[in-house]
Amino acid sequence: MEYTTLGNTGTTVSKLCYGTWRFGKKHGDTVETDREEAHELLDAAWENGINFIDTANVYGDPDGTSEEWIGEWLTDHDREDFVIASKVYFSFDGWGEPGPNDSGLGRKHIRAQIEGTLDRLGTDYLDLYYIHRWDENTPIRETMSVLTELVREGKVHYLGASTMAAWQLTKALWTSDVEGLERFDVTQPMVNAAHYDAVGDYLDVCADQELAVCPYSPLAGGFLTGKYERTADGSVEAPDGSRGSLDDLFEDRYATDRAWDVLDAVESVASEVDATPAQVSLRWLIEQDRFTCVPIVGARSPDQLEENAGAVEIDLTDEQFERIDEARGGVQ
């Protein structure tokens, strides 16, 4: 495994982060990753040198399941070996029907949720605490003030921001600077070689402010692994149990015409460097040169996780990197 400093922080992380949003997640009667599988995957992550674990208070069914299973696993490991991130914003149903203050980024909700998160993880602190979304109903000064309190109390080391608009991220950073509050050091947008939502301005802010980027869905929901096939009518043929067969939004979100062009480029590069399409797609993110980029992988088996970890063992030439960029149409 390769390691890097997480943006402007003093913390060193593996160049891949392991994401646990599948832990306990249900689709009807189907559980994507059960408790035993979750512990096996955490074992595999650690065996492959991954020390960075990402979760959220609402991951699993019921909410909090992912954090609980990570906490159980940590009892057999040294907490100080790991960099653990969690999130806050959404309604939390793990304590019953959510009340009027059981969501958002107000002081009351953040204070309640950090205590629950720490308790489920069995730890005294989080290395990284993200706001999961932007809260239009709470002044950003209130949010940054209570997050600053958590940092100064030692319950949180660094702050992160997930999906939001570039202007919202800029406003939060400006507020922190003007008010003398802690600021975001890490972001978690959806970024991958095949994704074309308007993230360019957001990433420009990250580059300018030297924020680390930890993209979720770095393999476009599995699309960039090459396991999906395009049928004659242009739709996607998905393996049983895969994201494409479980999520009706898969084709609209990932399998665009341009995404197939990107996959062709990724597969051609993979053949040249004796790697898999997944490894090339992850390496393309890791080698972003405008900011520290640490992809969050959500492998569903130890073998998949080991394959993902192999991304650190390959290098892309400038021509190969640019070939993928050209297939994307120059979109950043």
Side-chain angles (χ1 to χ4, degrees), residues 267-316:
E267 289 180 328
S268 70
V269 171
S271 177
E272 294 166 4
V273 299
D274 192 24
T276 66
Q279 291 169 336
V280 170
S281 298
L282 292 171
R283 193 68 199 186
W284 179 85
L285 285 168
I286 291 170
E287 291 188 7
Q288 296 293 311
D289 60 5
R290 296 197 301 151
F291 41 73
T292 303
C293 189
V294 181
I296 301 173
V297 297
R300 299 177 66 179
S301 72
D303 286 345
Q304 285 182 352
L305 204 153
E306 185 173 1
E307 177 192 350
N308 291 169
V312 304
E313 298 175 3
I314 64 173
D315 291 302
L316 305 182

Side-chain angles (χ1 to χ4, degrees), residues 16-310:
L16 291 175
C17 176
Y18 185 58
T20 64
W21 73 275
R22 285 195 174 100
F23 287 11
K25 183 177 178 62
K26 294 182 180 179
H27 291 276
D29 294 331
T30 302
V31 178
E32 290 206 31
T33 301
D34 63 26
R35 179 178 176 275
E36 182 178 352
E37 291 169 334
H39 288 183
E40 289 175 353
L41 284 162
L42 290 167
D43 284 339
W46 182 228
E47 289 166 3
N48 281 281
I50 296 176
N51 72 339
F52 193 6
I53 301 172
D54 181 86
T55 187
N57 62 334
V58 294
Y59 288 173
D61 186 5
D63 293 346
T65 299
S66 174
E67 290 178 331
E68 286 183 1
W69 291 354
I70 293 168
E72 292 170 356
W73 181 81
L74 281 172
T75 61
D76 294 325
H77 297 80
D78 186 345
R79 165 68 180 90
E80 295 306 311
D81 286 337
F82 300 94
V83 176
I84 300 176
S86 193
K87 310 177 189 72
V88 62
Y89 170 79
F90 290 108
S91 296
F92 181 83
D93 67 12
W95 296 330
E97 187 68 22
N101 289 301
D102 289 339
S103 65
L105 298 175
R107 182 178 300 275
K108 186 175 181 65
H109 185 234
I110 291 176
R111 280 287 182 179
Q113 289 306 312
I114 187 62
E115 295 303 331
T117 285
L118 294 177
D119 181 63
R120 287 185 292 273
L121 287 168
T123 183
D124 295 328
Y125 70 95
L126 283 178
D127 296 280
L128 176 60
Y129 203 29
Y130 290 100
I131 60 169
H132 214 155
R133 292 292 186 273
W134 182 266
D135 185 354
E136 296 180 352
N137 298 314
T138 301
I140 189 59
R141 185 186 184 283
E142 176 176 337
T143 298
M144 301 312 300
S145 292
V146 68
L147 291 175
T148 295
E149 292 168 6
L150 298 183
V151 172
R152 294 175 182 174
E153 291 167 9
K155 294 181 177 180
V156 173
H157 285 171
Y158 302 107
L159 305 178
S162 188
T163 305
M164 64 181 62
W167 72 263
Q168 292 167 331
L169 177 58
T170 301
K171 181 177 181 178
L173 294 169
W174 179 85
T175 300
S176 292
D177 291 344
V178 169
E179 301 285 348
L181 302 172
E182 296 291 327
R183 71 196 322 256
F184 296 129
D185 286 302
V186 186
T187 61
Q188 190 177 130
M190 180 178 171
V191 182
N192 58 64
H195 184 58
Y196 293 94
D197 278 359
V199 294
D201 289 346
Y202 185 99
L203 295 178
D204 287 343
V205 176
C206 295
D208 179 73
Q209 295 295 304
E210 298 183 347
L211 307 182
V213 177
C214 296
Y216 69 92
S217 198
L219 298 177
F223 178 82
L224 289 171
T225 66
K227 66 183 178 183
Y228 299 98
E229 295 184 7
R230 196 175 198 180
T231 62
D233 64 2
S235 60
V236 178
E237 184 175 328
D240 291 341
S242 64
R243 187 84 56 79
S245 66
L246 295 172
D247 189 346
D248 293 337
L249 298 176
F250 182 86
E251 291 189 40
D252 292 337
R253 176 176 289 181
Y254 299 117
T256 63
D257 288 341
R258 193 176 290 177
W260 288 108
D261 292 338
V262 171
L263 180 57
D264 286 343
V266 166
E267 289 180 328
S268 70
V269 171
S271 177
E272 294 166 4
V273 299
D274 192 24
T276 66
Q279 291 169 336
V280 170
S281 298
L282 292 171
R283 193 68 199 186
W284 179 85
L285 285 168
I286 291 170
E287 291 188 7
Q288 296 293 311
D289 60 5
R290 296 197 301 151
F291 41 73
T292 303
C293 189
V294 181
I296 301 173
V297 297
R300 299 177 66 179
S301 72
D303 286 345
Q304 285 182 352
L305 204 153
E306 185 173 1
E307 177 192 350
N308 291 169

